[in-house]
Amino acid sequence: MKTVLIVDDAAFMRLSIRKMLEKNGYEVVGEAENGLVAVEKYMELQPDIVTMDITMKDMNGLEALKAIMERDKKANIIMVSAMGQEAMVKDAVLSGAKGFIVKPFRKRPLSRPWRNSKVW
Amino acid sequence: MLDLFLYETNELIDGLEEILLKTENTGFSEDDINEVFRSMHTIKGSSGMMGLDSISNLTHAAEDFFAFIRDNPNVEIDGGEVTDLILRVVDFIKHELNAMRNEDYEQGDARYLVEEIKEYTESVKEGKKQKTFKVHIYFDEGAQMENIRAFGVLNTIENMADIVSTEPMDLDDEKSTEEIQANGFIFIIKSDADENKIKSILQDTMFLKSLQVTEVEKTSRKRKVNIDTTIISDSARNFVSVEVGKLDTLLDIVGELVIAESMLGRTDLGDEYEKAYNNLQRMTDELQNIVMSIRMVPVSGIFHKMQRVVRDLARKIGKDIDLVIKGEQTEVDKKIIDNLSEPLIHIIRNAVDHGIEDANERKTKGKDASGAILLEAYNEGGEVVIAVFDDGRGLDRNRIVEKALSLGLISTPDIPDNEVFNLITHPGFSTTENVTELSGRGVGMDVVYQEIKKAGGKLAIESRKDQGTAIIMRFPLTLAIIDGVSVSVGSEMYIIPALNVLEIFTMKDASLMVSGGRRMIRLRDELYPLVFLGEVFETKGYETDIYKSQLCLVNNDRGQICICVDRVLNKSKIVVKPIPEYLLTEFPLLKGFSACTIMGDGNIRLILDVNAFT
């Protein structure tokens, strides 16, 4: 079972992402409410996948992504973006994010996004 | 000095472009390589003399490359790649040549391109071989921000492949999102990796619904298009190259004119006066003909440019299209040629972009996978016809009618095909919702129509569903001197261009009737709207009795009309002069005239604008 670290400053979002992931057969091994904690937890838990919110206090998602990529080039980080954050997402992709999902999630949000992949 | 450099370099560049486009199809022959090498060498030399380092360095690098393939005839090269690269050299030089005319000209930076050529030369030396792939991706429905996803895909593949083109082209444009949702994301790459390697890397893309990677084989080349070298590039615009034979004839005529003049100067001429006068008249006719013929340039130069337009766009959107050129030696007045380029590019782009279907669609229709565009010029009845035919999907009659109804251009869907197709020349008319960048947005055939009209031409559109579309333009042979029919109306005399006059008759052969509140002339069972010229122009003392007048059947943009005048006088050659702008604002009635001319007796006569009447 793939392990996931959820990074989001809103507890509600963390909970809904957790529910969706668990329903689809992922194991959520940790949660972080900002970028600083995320980097720390990533190093500690070494999860297979990270879902990374973009707008957060104390190190935003983009900075956290860069910090993690610097420490682990193979990290699989997925950005969680809101509509209208195209420029940030683009920056994230250039900095090594493996993909992104857009909230609010439409139907079947996290069920099949990486079905063909060996990584996921 | 600069002029000569520009002229000569432009000629070389045009020649180069022509060879490159030809060889892309046929491969480089030994002669081609030598020719390209020589051209590069010459440009290198003369630009060096002019102190133009960037052009000089660039051509030096290109020269080295061609020297290598000349000396190593067995080395394998991809004609398409070489053409791409060297065309960029050509474009750079063209751009520089144009910019040089400006006083604040500064040399462009060619270092990047120079590096690329050097790298390419190295890779050819090492014998590396890249393959071309077409990738077609669909994302899951509801994946959102598809344009950024596409951007991510390109970012993933970038370090193992060169991205040649993408469709949609501009991922920063939010409209591309909808396009990707509808048609998927297509891109062409060059890579030395194989199909499976590319697939396995793209497989990891999130929300990937389907992925298709196909190797693009080098397109088979069936037809070869030969075009003779001619002038015309933007910075050489004000030059005309003249056949030496024509200059010789010109000199001969001037010589004879001098003799004729001295003959007429004699006082004891007597009976011989008429002979001398006739002689002079013959000379002026010949002089006029030869000067006109010098103004005439073959359309080959501008046709040749279209080769490039088709090639670039077709490659960009991954279509295989052959441009066939016919009648490129047909000559047109220089002034018309100068105005023809823009509309022609527009028409050709439309054909490539919207007219011709992609290979799959063509196959299902049972057509040849590669599309064909025919660009043709020929003379017909004192006019030059320039026509663009494509074998694509044809215009969608129903959609045009629908749009025209919604715009209120027509009131009933029940109108003949040719009128339907002409509707697309109406300002703001465009049925294509997904207009691609190259074909322009929202502006289309109306601009083409205006430009052609400005150049003195006419436009007709024919189309058949799934068989293709033909855009046919007609231009007068020359704009400066035309045949005119002089007519008298009351105290005035006007001129109608002879080209427009179909027939001259009297009421003996016709009858007058009223239809829809309008006076019509019935001639051989056809009805034509009647225009009383004296009435329209409020001319003093015109003949009000139509049964004592004469009538001219005249054709114009919209059809045929009958113009009623007092008398038709004669037909003669007239020199067309524009009506001064300030007069047009002063006298609104002048809007019925297109130009004026000065007659032999010194009087000014106005030339009727037949399109001003309905």
Side-chain angles (χ1 to χ4, degrees):
Chain A
M1 204 185 276
K2 299 275 182 193
T3 56
V4 185
L5 168 68
I6 299 174
V7 186
D8 204 305
D9 57 352
F12 170 75
M13 280 308 297
R14 289 202 299 273
L15 183 65
S16 29
I17 294 174
R18 172 188 280 269
K19 286 203 159 166
M20 278 186 297
L21 287 169
E22 284 173 353
K23 211 160 116 194
N24 286 288
Y26 294 88
E27 186 194 350
V28 177
V29 290
E31 291 184 11
E33 67 279 6
N34 66 39
L36 280 175
V37 180
V39 180
E40 235 168 70
K41 291 230 167 137
Y42 181 86
M43 296 316 289
E44 179 196 328
L45 302 167
Q46 299 285 323
D48 296 320
I49 301 163
V50 181
T51 71
M52 181 76 76
D53 186 23
I54 292 181
T55 329
M56 292 179 295
K57 273 197 289 187
D58 297 331
M59 190 186 267
N60 68 26
L62 212 52
E63 288 161 344
L65 163 82
K66 287 175 189 166
I68 294 173
M69 291 307 294
E70 216 171 85
R71 290 168 173 78
D72 179 5
K73 279 197 192 90
K74 293 206 167 92
N76 291 312
I77 301 174
I78 296 170
M79 307 310 286
V80 181
S81 150
M83 280 309 283
Q85 290 188 308
E86 276 86 351
M88 298 270 252
V89 175
K90 231 170 140 175
D91 197 353
V93 167
L94 285 173
S95 309
K98 287 289 184 309
F100 61 95
I101 51 182
V102 184
K103 58 184 178 186
F105 311 125
R106 299 211 181 144
K107 54 177 178 176
R108 288 183 308 161
L110 282 167
S111 56
R112 296 168 53 213
W114 36 72
R115 105 198 101 169
N116 296 315
S117 166
K118 288 184 297 284
V119 179
W120 315 117
Chain B
M1 175 82 168
L2 178 65
D3 277 350
L4 188 60
F5 170 75
L6 287 175
Y7 183 66
E8 224 173 57
T9 312
N10 263 313
E11 292 233 309
L12 284 170
I13 285 288
D14 284 350
L16 262 176
E17 197 169 15
E18 190 183 320
I19 293 174
L20 288 166
L21 292 171
K22 185 190 81 185
T23 50
E24 188 184 22
N25 302 346
T26 59
F28 286 94
S29 70
E30 211 183 306
D31 283 348
D32 294 331
I33 294 174
N34 285 328
E35 186 64 39
V36 174
F37 177 82
R38 270 197 303 273
S39 303
M40 289 294 178
H41 185 80
T42 309
I43 299 173
K44 182 187 79 172
S46 47
S47 57
M49 289 285 288
M50 298 286 293
L52 301 164
D53 296 339
S54 54
I55 296 182
S56 170
N57 290 338
L58 190 58
T59 43
H60 185 96
E63 184 190 350
D64 282 349
F65 172 74
F66 280 95
F68 175 77
I69 57 173
R70 182 193 58 193
D71 299 337
N72 298 277
N74 293 323
V75 74
E76 258 196 67
I77 50 163
D78 177 337
E81 261 170 38
V82 175
T83 305
D84 264 344
L85 193 60
I86 305 301
L87 277 181
R88 281 167 58 204
V89 173
V90 167
D91 286 347
F92 177 84
I93 299 175
K94 267 190 188 169
H95 178 261
E96 289 294 294
L97 294 180
N98 278 327
M100 241 168 256
R101 290 246 179 241
N102 298 332
E103 273 178 24
D104 52 356
Y105 165 72
E106 270 177 42
Q107 285 190 49
D109 188 353
R111 276 175 298 184
Y112 184 73
L113 199 49
V114 170
E115 273 317 303
E116 221 172 306
I117 296 170
K118 283 185 179 162
E119 267 172 35
Y120 189 72
T121 312
E122 285 309 310
S123 77
V124 168
K125 279 181 187 169
E126 287 164 18
K128 259 203 270 171
K129 211 162 179 281
Q130 285 199 320
K131 283 188 273 190
T132 307
F133 299 94
K134 181 180 175 183
V135 185
H136 197 160
I137 284 178
Y138 278 93
F139 296 109
D140 276 323
E141 278 160 47
Q144 303 184 73
M145 289 201 212
E146 282 78 359
N147 56 335
I148 311 287
R149 297 194 185 278
F151 171 80
V153 169
L154 294 182
N155 186 51
T156 319
I157 200 83
E158 208 168 42
N159 47 19
M160 60 173 296
D162 290 333
I163 294 151
V164 180
S165 66
T166 69
E167 170 77 22
M169 254 179 303
D170 183 6
L171 295 175
D172 284 329
D173 186 340
E174 275 175 34
K175 283 184 190 137
S176 62
T177 311
E178 288 156 36
E179 219 176 314
I180 297 171
Q181 283 164 357
N183 308 323
F185 177 53
I186 303 169
F187 58 99
I188 313 273
I189 49 170
K190 275 188 187 152
S191 173
D192 34 22
D194 66 1
E195 217 171 291
N196 289 333
K197 175 87 182 145
I198 293 168
K199 262 190 187 159
S200 75
I201 284 177
L202 294 176
Q203 203 69 255
D204 290 345
T205 310
M206 287 181 77
F207 292 104
L208 188 69
K209 188 173 171 194
S210 72
L211 165 69
Q212 208 184 350
V213 181
T214 39
E215 188 181 341
V216 184
E217 282 164 47
K218 262 169 234 135
T219 35
S220 58
R221 305 297 175 179
K222 287 147 286 178
R223 278 167 288 204
K224 186 175 154 185
V225 184
N226 277 319
I227 306 148
D228 293 336
T229 326
T230 5
I231 45 153
I232 309 169
S233 119
D234 292 338
S235 53
R237 180 163 286 226
N238 294 320
F239 293 93
V240 169
S241 61
V242 180
E243 223 180 281
V244 179
K246 286 183 181 172
L247 288 180
D248 288 344
T249 316
L250 189 58
L251 189 63
D252 283 347
I253 296 171
V254 173
E256 283 188 56
L257 266 178
V258 174
I259 298 168
E261 188 211 350
S262 61
M263 267 180 82
L264 277 170
R266 274 163 47 194
T267 45
D268 57 343
L269 218 48
D271 290 349
E272 278 183 61
Y273 174 79
E274 195 162 340
K275 193 178 150 200
Y277 175 73
N278 285 341
N279 207 13
L280 184 63
Q281 203 174 29
R282 188 172 55 82
M283 290 309 134
T284 36
D285 270 359
E286 270 182 43
L287 191 60
Q288 182 201 325
N289 284 339
I290 190 87
V291 173
M292 288 326 295
S293 81
I294 287 172
R295 284 184 63 96
M296 303 290 273
V297 273
V299 292
S300 55
I302 191 167
F303 273 25
H304 176 205
K305 271 191 184 172
M306 298 307 133
Q307 195 81 336
R308 179 76 192 271
V309 172
V310 170
R311 178 197 172 276
D312 283 359
L313 182 58
R315 261 177 103 87
K316 212 160 234 164
I317 59 180
K319 287 181 186 170
D320 186 14
I321 297 172
D322 278 314
L323 177 68
V324 181
I325 288 175
K326 272 194 194 165
E328 72 265 29
Q329 287 310 320
T330 310
E331 293 188 331
V332 189
D333 195 287
K334 176 88 170 69
K335 208 171 157 193
I336 295 174
I337 286 270
D338 288 346
N339 287 314
L340 192 60
S341 183
E342 297 267 315
L344 203 53
I345 287 176
H346 213 106
I347 292 169
I348 297 252
R349 279 181 172 169
N350 273 337
V352 174
D353 208 3
H354 309 305
I356 293 188
E357 313 92 332
D358 63 31
N360 287 336
E361 197 178 335
R362 291 181 67 86
K363 274 184 201 152
T364 58
K365 286 178 182 170
K367 292 184 184 178
D368 201 354
S370 65
I373 296 176
L374 171 65
L375 178 57
E376 192 178 18
Y378 54 91
N379 286 303
E380 190 181 83
E383 290 178 308
V384 179
V385 179
I386 294 176
V388 181
F389 303 87
D390 70 63
D391 68 346
R393 58 171 67 93
L395 295 171
D396 190 337
R397 189 195 145 101
N398 293 340
R399 274 179 77 187
I400 296 171
V401 169
E402 219 174 273
K403 183 84 181 265
L405 282 169
S406 75
L407 290 174
L409 298 177
I410 50 173
S411 49
T412 162
D414 200 23
I415 57 171
D417 273 355
N418 63 334
E419 283 178 33
V420 171
F421 298 140
N422 276 326
L423 287 170
I424 66 172
T425 62
H426 205 274
F429 195 99
S430 169
T431 59
T432 323
E433 265 96 52
N434 283 328
V435 207
T436 68
E437 194 179 328
L438 279 170
S439 300
R441 284 170 201 280
V443 287
M445 289 304 291
D446 60 322
V447 178
V448 170
Y449 174 68
Q450 291 305 333
E451 293 269 326
I452 287 168
K453 222 171 113 181
K454 214 166 68 191
K458 289 174 282 189
L459 180 74
I461 302 164
E462 287 167 22
S463 185
R464 279 220 188 99
K465 190 166 168 47
D466 289 335
Q467 289 185 25
T469 304
I471 310 276
I472 299 155
M473 293 162 274
R474 289 169 185 278
F475 295 94
L477 268 179
T478 176
L479 296 172
I481 300 184
I482 62 168
D483 278 330
V485 175
S486 298
V487 297
S488 70
V489 178
S491 54
E492 293 294 326
M493 274 189 218
Y494 304 121
I495 287 171
I496 308 175
L499 209 58
N500 297 102
V501 179
L502 301 173
E503 195 173 340
I504 295 161
F505 60 99
T506 61
M507 286 306 288
K508 212 166 64 204
D509 306 309
S511 55
L512 180 68
M513 45 195 311
V514 176
S515 163
R518 217 194 136 154
R519 286 172 300 178
M520 307 287 274
I521 293 291
R522 186 193 183 98
L523 178 69
R524 288 186 300 271
D525 289 337
E526 292 281 346
L527 283 180
Y528 304 102
L530 173 66
V531 175
F532 241 105
L533 222 48
E535 215 171 86
V536 175
F537 295 131
E538 300 159 13
T539 320
K540 277 191 196 112
Y542 72 94
E543 179 59 68
T544 47
D545 183 357
I546 192 168
Y547 292 94
K548 287 181 186 162
S549 308
Q550 277 184 313
L551 294 134
C552 300
L553 184 61
V554 166
N555 69 345
N556 67 11
D557 271 0
R558 281 160 296 234
Q560 289 160 0
I561 51 170
C562 260
I563 293 181
C564 179
V565 300
D566 291 6
R567 281 283 161 276
V568 176
L569 302 170
N570 61 346
K571 191 178 110 175
S572 58
K573 279 204 186 322
I574 53 166
V575 180
V576 178
K577 305 261 181 211
I579 301 174
E581 200 66 35
Y582 68 91
L583 280 180
L584 282 175
T585 46
E586 197 83 359
F587 304 102
L589 274 179
L590 279 174
K591 295 226 169 73
F593 300 99
S594 60
C596 62
T597 187
I598 298 164
M599 302 306 287
D601 55 11
N603 281 325
I604 292 174
R605 266 184 219 168
L606 292 162
I607 303 170
L608 217 58
D609 179 3
V610 292
N611 291 323
F613 303 97
T614 43

